[in-house]
């Protein structure tokens, strides 16, 4: 979603030179961005979050139950020095940590079938119950907290493999300054002066508002729940489905929502305001998909016709990408106090119920005003970002580059291939080439904002180089089937595309993701204009790209490498047309040169 800020900077003429400077990374960056030993031994299974915000003081209190599975098998995983790294950003404070004592739980379980209980059995049972939750010690190092576990003993001959802790915390969370780009907890009012609250934390991290294992590589395999305690006059919306709504008889109500699918930490988000709701269904590839829409009460009439576009989005993206990835949790659009975010099964929407990007066409072709940018782009992330997630933030092009390309695919689906090509070519002018798209690994760093437009243009040139839309579609759908609900590396995505395309695109990925150089195609024609000679310069060693070119009369295949190649020209008119055809569908530069000697 930082595309929005990037587009704003382009429009405002703000320099990005500072972004291009090498950053000095700290120990804190490494702790945040690396799978440390204190993170490696346990795998998150589920988050159960309870939060109570106080709008007047801009504070929250909460608790999070983290269910986890022990993955390590070495002695260090069961000895008394075992520590767990938990992330919670200052100025939030952890009050206490309680562990579900696995020994006591096993003891209670072993007594369930005893009937009738003797007095001694009752005393033993009560002892186990008193021991069921034990307090754990913890220390902190900045935003990282280390929880020290009791020795994890063996029960009934086997090591305890699953357990849970509950973390109690409170404080005044970082307040978002300009969400969603400069994120945190959002304390706003709607146009009638009523409280309107939410969170935006992509990149910044979910630990800005709740304690968690704040690394994209570990999603809760068994989903998550979010319980919000809010004033009776407000409505609280979360991810997935509403599982309960209960009055607390003190002027507050607790709303509980749940997802059953894995979910990114930064996607678990509260929306609290004066919402109204309506529902619909969509006949999708996997059957009936539940649609649910939540907007501020005074925007319902404007929102209803605009949100009908969600069905067009689903039809186009299911065609290209495969089934919507979260049928079990449904699909929601929720009006947000910011422009929008890809919050899984509860997509944040703040585009003011208009087409384009806040009423503008980012491609300057007219096609971008035919549809609502936020509905298409942020929903596109359900496939790339939410179902397929990069393990490291450095590989975020997987989220943003391929989702940027969904805008082209959507335009192509509804308005034709020529329209899609024009849209993609139109957004190319927003590329800056300030720094590489892939950032440093292990330090929670994002690469260049070019991951959007340049990533989308890279996908376009790969598609045209394959020159087979049926195969290209199979690749996109295959990615979503193979890596469904998984975290991945860029190598996995790159290798999959090359393997299934039958073309080695490894140097193409190196060129566009790991350098700021744009390949230069040098070319010249024979004296009789019947042959074109060409080669690539300004490129990584071994760079090659097959240029497949079609006009109304003829087709050409230019297998361009760093060495001079040649192709016969079928008509004199084609000699003039070829450079334009190349420019439109391939993000490269061109230069006509003198004949090679």
């Amino acid at each position: 979603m930082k595309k929005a800020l990037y587009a704003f900077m382009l429009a405002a003429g703000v320099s990005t030179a500072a972004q291009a400077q090498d950053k000095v990374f700290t120990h804190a960056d490494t702790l945040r961005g690396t799978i440390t030993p204190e993170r490696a031994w346990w795998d998150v299974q589920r988050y159960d979050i309870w939060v109570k915000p106080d709008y007047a003081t801009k504070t929250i209190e909460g608790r999070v139950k983290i269910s986890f599975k022990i993955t390590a098998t070495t002695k260090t995983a069961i000895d008394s020095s075992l520590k767990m790294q938990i992330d919670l950003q200052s100025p939030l404070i952890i009050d206490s940590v309680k562990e579900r004592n696995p020994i006591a739980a096993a003891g209670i379980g072993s007594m369930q079938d005893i009937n009738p209980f003797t007095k001694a059995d009752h005393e033993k049972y009560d002892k186990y119950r008193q021991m069921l939750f034990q307090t754990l010690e913890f220390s902190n190092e900045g935003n990282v907290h280390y929880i020290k576990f009791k020795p994890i003993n063996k029960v009934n001959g086997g090591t305890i493999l699953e357990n849970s802790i509950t973390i109690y915390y409170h404080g005044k969370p970082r307040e978002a300054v300009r969400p969603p780009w400069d994120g945190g907890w959002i304390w706003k009012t709607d146009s009638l002066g009523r409280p309107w609250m939410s969170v935006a934390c992509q990149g910044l991290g979910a630990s800005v508002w709740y304690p968690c294992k704040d690394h994209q590589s570990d999603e809760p395999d068994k989903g998550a729940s979010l319980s919000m305690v809010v004033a009776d006059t407000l409505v609280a919306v979360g991810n997935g489905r509403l599982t309960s709504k209960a009055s607390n008889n003190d002027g507050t109500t607790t709303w509980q929502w749940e997802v059953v699918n894995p979910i990114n930490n930064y996607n678990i988000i509260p929306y609290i305001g004066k919402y109204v709701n309506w529902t619909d269904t969509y006949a999708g590839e996997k059957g009936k998909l539940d649609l649910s829409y939540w907007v501020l009460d005074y925007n319902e009439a404007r929102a209803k016709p605009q949100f009908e576009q969600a069905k067009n989005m689903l039809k186009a993206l299911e065609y290209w990408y495969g089934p919507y990835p979260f049928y079990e949790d449904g699909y929601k659009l929720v009006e947000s106090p910011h422009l929008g975010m890809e919050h899984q099964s509860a997509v944040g929407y703040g585009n003011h119920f208009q087409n384009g990007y806040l009423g503008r066409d980012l491609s300057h072709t007219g096609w971008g005003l035919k549809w609502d940018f936020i509905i298409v782009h942020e929903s596109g992330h359900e496939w790339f970002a939410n179902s397929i997630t990069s393990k490291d933030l450095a590989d975020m092009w997987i989220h943003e580059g391929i989702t940027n390309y969904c805008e082209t695919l959507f335009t192509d689906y509804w308005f034709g291939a020529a329209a899609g090509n024009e849209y993609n070519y139109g957004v190319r002018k927003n590329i800056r080439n300030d720094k590489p798209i892939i950032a440093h690994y292990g330090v929670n760093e994002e690469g260049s904002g070019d991951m959007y437009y340049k990533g989308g243009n890279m996908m376009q040139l790969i598609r045209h180089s394959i020159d087979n839309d049926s195969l290209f579609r199979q690749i996109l759908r295959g990615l979503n089937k193979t890596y469904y609900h998984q975290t991945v590396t860029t190598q996995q995505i790159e290798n999959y595309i090359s393997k299934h395309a039958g073309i080695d695109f490894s140097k193409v990925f190196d060129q566009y993701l790991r350098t700021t150089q744009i390949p230069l195609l040098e070319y010249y024609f024979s004296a009789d204009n019947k042959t074109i000679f060409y080669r690539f310069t300004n490129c990584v060693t071994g760079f090659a790209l097959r240029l497949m070119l079609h006009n109304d009369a003829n087709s050409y295949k230019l297998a361009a490498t760093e060495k001079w190649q040649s192709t016969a020209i079928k008509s004199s008119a084609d000699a003039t047309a070829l450079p334009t055809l190349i420019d439109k569908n391939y993000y490269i530069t061109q230069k006509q040169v003198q004949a090679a000697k």
Side-chain angles (χ1 to χ4, degrees):
M1 190 55 234
K2 290 185 174 61
K3 171 178 187 174
L5 178 58
Y6 197 58
F8 171 81
M9 293 172 71
L10 290 171
V14 178
S15 171
T16 58
Q19 294 181 330
Q21 300 300 314
D22 290 335
K23 179 179 177 180
V24 177
F25 296 104
T26 66
H27 179 57
D29 294 324
T30 301
L31 289 177
R32 171 64 194 285
T34 303
I35 296 299
T36 62
E38 292 78 17
R39 281 172 161 173
W41 65 268
W42 58 288
D43 176 43
V44 178
Q45 296 295 292
R46 182 178 172 87
Y47 289 110
D48 291 288
I49 305 166
W50 180 96
V51 66
K52 182 178 181 180
D54 186 321
Y55 184 84
T57 61
K58 296 185 178 181
T59 60
I60 63 175
E61 62 174 297
R63 63 177 180 267
V64 179
K65 178 183 177 183
I66 304 176
S67 303
F68 61 92
K69 180 169 63 177
I70 297 172
T71 58
T73 57
T74 61
K75 182 179 183 298
T76 57
I78 57 174
D79 68 18
S80 59
S81 65
L82 187 64
K83 291 194 298 183
M84 172 185 283
Q85 177 180 329
I86 291 292
D87 305 286
L88 182 66
Q89 295 182 36
S90 177
L92 291 175
I93 299 168
I94 291 180
D95 299 312
S96 63
V97 181
K98 304 286 186 180
E99 177 195 18
R100 179 180 177 274
N101 187 332
I103 309 303
I108 290 176
S110 67
M111 300 185 68
Q112 295 299 320
D113 295 330
I114 299 176
N115 188 24
F117 269 20
T118 65
K119 180 178 180 181
D121 291 332
H122 277 292
E123 290 175 351
K124 188 176 182 181
Y125 188 80
D126 287 341
K127 178 182 177 182
Y128 279 133
R129 289 190 61 186
Q130 292 172 14
M131 293 171 54
L132 189 55
F133 292 97
Q134 55 189 359
T135 300
L136 300 180
E137 297 178 2
F138 61 91
S139 59
N140 76 290
E141 182 180 353
N143 293 329
V144 168
H145 305 261
Y146 295 108
I147 298 171
K148 185 176 181 181
F149 278 75
K150 311 287 185 182
I152 299 180
N153 299 313
K154 295 186 177 183
V155 177
N156 297 330
T159 303
I160 294 295
L161 296 179
E162 294 191 12
N163 203 0
S164 66
I165 58 172
T166 300
I167 303 173
Y168 297 81
Y169 69 104
H170 78 282
K172 191 170 187 176
R174 166 176 167 161
E175 183 174 357
V177 177
R178 190 172 180 266
W181 312 290
D182 190 349
W185 193 282
I186 302 167
W187 311 91
K188 285 192 173 182
T189 58
D190 62 22
S191 64
L192 299 180
R194 302 169 300 188
W196 194 11
M197 292 170 275
S198 190
V199 174
C201 57
Q202 184 185 21
L204 176 62
S207 56
V208 76
W209 77 277
Y210 71 91
C212 60
K213 186 180 192 176
D214 208 352
H215 196 275
Q216 286 186 176
S217 66
D218 194 358
E219 299 180 352
D221 302 84
K222 298 178 181 178
S225 70
L226 174 58
S227 299
M228 296 160 280
V229 181
V230 302
D232 288 340
T233 55
L234 300 175
V235 174
V237 184
N239 309 82
R241 299 182 185 274
L242 181 65
T243 55
S244 68
K245 174 188 173 185
S247 172
N248 300 315
N249 299 316
D250 62 356
T252 66
T253 296
T254 300
W255 301 70
Q256 179 173 299
W257 294 76
E258 180 177 1
V259 293
V260 299
N261 289 299
I263 184 170
N264 302 339
N265 289 342
Y266 75 84
N267 273 335
I268 304 174
I269 292 295
Y271 298 94
I272 302 166
K274 195 65 174 179
Y275 287 108
V276 293
N277 168 243
W278 72 96
T279 60
D280 201 348
T281 59
Y282 175 74
E285 288 196 16
K286 290 178 66 173
K288 186 184 76 169
L289 173 62
D290 293 326
L291 310 178
S292 185
Y293 305 113
W294 298 78
V295 300
L296 296 178
D297 48 11
Y298 51 74
N299 283 329
E300 183 176 8
R302 296 173 61 203
K304 279 188 172 180
Q306 190 72 8
F307 282 9
E308 282 293 311
Q309 291 191 37
K311 294 179 181 178
N312 287 345
M313 174 277 300
L314 287 163
K315 190 171 183 65
L317 298 192
E318 282 205 329
Y319 172 83
W320 284 107
Y321 289 163
Y324 172 75
F326 306 106
Y327 271 72
E328 301 84 357
D329 294 321
Y331 170 85
K332 280 201 301 297
L333 282 174
V334 186
E335 186 176 1
S336 56
H338 55 75
L339 182 60
M341 272 294 299
E342 66 261 26
H343 302 141
Q344 184 174 311
S345 69
V347 174
Y349 177 89
N351 203 36
H352 305 312
F353 316 105
Q354 59 187 326
N355 284 354
Y357 176 95
L358 292 175
R360 295 184 290 115
D361 177 7
L362 296 178
S363 75
H364 304 285
T365 64
W367 295 114
L369 294 177
K370 302 288 186 182
W371 40 273
D372 190 311
F373 177 91
I374 293 298
I375 291 177
V376 173
H377 180 91
E378 300 306 337
S379 299
H381 277 306
E382 293 282 45
W383 286 265
F384 290 95
N386 299 348
S387 180
I388 301 176
T389 306
S390 67
K391 289 180 181 290
D392 195 293
L393 200 65
D395 287 336
M396 238 175 72
W397 81 269
I398 297 168
H399 301 192
E400 303 299 354
I402 304 180
T403 299
N404 172 273
Y405 195 60
C406 89
E407 302 160 25
T408 295
L409 296 174
F410 176 90
T411 305
D412 180 304
Y413 184 89
W414 286 107
F415 305 104
N421 290 339
E422 287 177 24
Y423 179 85
N424 187 271
Y425 182 73
V427 299
R428 189 187 299 175
K429 64 177 64 69
N430 297 326
I431 299 171
R432 298 296 296 267
N433 285 310
D434 55 345
K435 60 182 180 179
I437 287 175
I438 291 182
H440 296 90
Y441 290 102
V443 288
N444 200 58
E445 184 194 33
E446 298 178 16
S448 170
D450 280 347
M451 70 178 77
Y452 296 87
Y453 303 112
K454 188 175 178 182
N457 268 264
M458 181 186 71
M459 293 300 296
Q460 173 84 332
L461 70 82
I462 288 173
R463 174 187 179 184
H464 283 278
S465 185
I466 293 172
D467 198 36
N468 182 336
D469 270 4
S470 177
L471 176 58
F472 183 70
R473 178 177 172 235
Q474 289 176 34
I475 291 171
L476 294 176
R477 292 173 68 91
L479 284 169
N480 280 284
K481 183 176 181 179
T482 302
Y483 300 115
Y484 179 75
H485 292 179
Q486 293 183 37
T487 59
V488 300
T489 65
T490 186
Q491 284 75 24
Q492 288 175 283
I493 300 301
E494 293 175 34
N495 293 344
Y496 185 97
I497 292 174
S498 290
K499 176 182 177 180
H500 291 272
I503 302 171
D504 183 4
F505 285 113
S506 60
K507 296 299 182 180
V508 171
F509 288 117
D510 284 346
Q511 186 77 50
Y512 289 93
L513 299 178
R514 298 175 177 90
T515 81
T516 58
Q517 296 172 288
I518 302 306
L520 172 64
L521 184 72
E522 295 183 337
Y523 68 93
Y524 65 91
F525 295 98
S526 60
D528 59 5
N529 266 3
K530 291 185 177 181
T531 305
I532 183 172
F533 298 85
Y534 48 88
R535 72 172 181 181
F536 276 120
T537 62
N538 194 43
C539 56
V540 298
T541 302
F543 182 80
L545 180 63
R546 187 176 76 171
L547 306 175
M548 305 299 291
L549 310 169
H550 307 280
N551 59 25
D552 293 337
N554 298 306
S555 296
Y556 293 90
K557 174 183 175 180
L558 277 58
T561 69
E562 294 173 280
K563 297 181 179 180
W564 285 106
Q565 311 288 333
S566 64
T567 298
I569 301 296
K570 299 173 184 178
S571 75
S572 58
D574 289 348
T576 303
L578 286 182
T580 300
L581 288 174
I582 293 170
D583 182 55
K584 291 294 184 182
N585 293 325
Y586 295 90
Y587 178 42
I588 61 178
T589 57
Q590 301 178 67
K591 180 181 180 181
Q592 188 167 359
V593 298
Q594 297 296 317
K597 296 180 180 180

